Amino acid sequence: MLKEKLKNYNIILASGSPRRQQFFKDLDIDFTIDVKKVDEIYPDNLKGTEITDYLADLKAKAFTNLSEKDVLITSDTIVWLNNEALGKPKNAADAFKMLRKLSGKKHQVITSISIKNIHFQKIINDVTTVSFKELSDEEINYYIKNYKPFDKAGAYGIQEWIGFIAIDKMEGSYFNVVGLPIHKLYQEFMKL
């Protein structure tokens, strides 16, 4: 359905995330992948969705030579806990620290998407609230050792073992927690 709708556009996904790439494949659209290195640094005064909106826009600004038919998709995801953004962990110790913070608490997963071509840019976001059960050190260490969640915001993937055993409750989109509120992106694609 979308393939026909988007046939006159070159859809560019600027993400190295295998999960986001799989979402695009599952939507059955033609797209290319083009990732530019961006220092994901944001002003200290930003909070929640302001951070992910800023970073999605920052990633989009790295593309300066879009053509008439190009539609660029960039995105960013953070875990938001007690007024603190948890991004991707630097190493196992950092991952352990993040998962210890999340243990037994409710947090938000926030993803922003920038949709840009030479005539317009729109940034949308989605927020999902996730509640974790108390995690033992043994569970955290097992997960880090076996799943190496170093490319995931908040040091966890909902679609992996930790998601099966840790999540008590969730309010909002599961796919947002995986890394892309695909339902919202679909709606925007249908408006093109």
Side-chain angles (χ1 to χ4, degrees), residues 97-165:
K97 195 166 81 177
M98 286 184 186
L99 290 168
R100 174 58 42 234
K101 282 182 182 178
L102 293 172
S103 176
K105 295 193 182 75
K106 187 186 282 193
H107 63 273
Q108 294 178 314
V109 178
I110 303 169
T111 301
S112 293
I113 303 171
S114 165
I115 303 150
K116 181 179 181 179
N117 79 0
I118 61 172
H119 301 295
F120 74 90
Q121 180 181 19
K122 183 168 186 181
I123 296 175
I124 58 173
N125 58 53
D126 201 31
V127 180
T128 303
T129 302
V130 180
S131 298
F132 263 31
K133 76 171 188 84
E134 287 287 343
L135 294 168
S136 69
D137 288 356
E138 185 182 19
E139 288 168 329
I140 293 172
N141 284 322
Y142 173 85
Y143 176 65
I144 294 167
K145 180 181 176 202
N146 291 285
Y147 292 88
K148 300 175 181 32
F150 309 120
D151 66 335
K152 296 174 178 72
Y156 81 92
I158 190 174
Q159 72 280 13
E160 296 175 340
W161 181 83
I162 198 91
F164 305 153
I165 67 115

Side-chain angles (χ1 to χ4, degrees), residues 17-80:
S17 162
R19 295 162 301 281
R20 289 183 183 135
Q21 293 170 14
Q22 189 60 50
F23 281 144
F24 272 58
K25 289 175 189 163
D26 292 345
L27 274 179
D28 192 30
I29 58 175
D30 295 323
F31 68 100
T32 57
I33 298 165
D34 188 0
V35 182
K36 299 206 184 302
K37 180 77 177 131
V38 174
D39 288 327
E40 297 183 24
I41 298 167
Y42 55 87
D44 291 340
N45 63 316
L46 299 183
K47 305 277 185 222
T49 56
E50 295 171 336
I51 295 170
T52 53
D53 285 359
Y54 180 90
L55 291 173
D57 181 48
L58 187 68
K59 292 172 184 178
K61 284 178 177 162
F63 291 79
T64 55
N65 57 346
L66 294 177
S67 74
E68 187 78 24
K69 292 183 174 240
D70 291 341
V71 176
L72 175 70
I73 308 298
T74 59
S75 66
D76 194 78
T77 300
I78 60 167
V79 167
W80 186 249

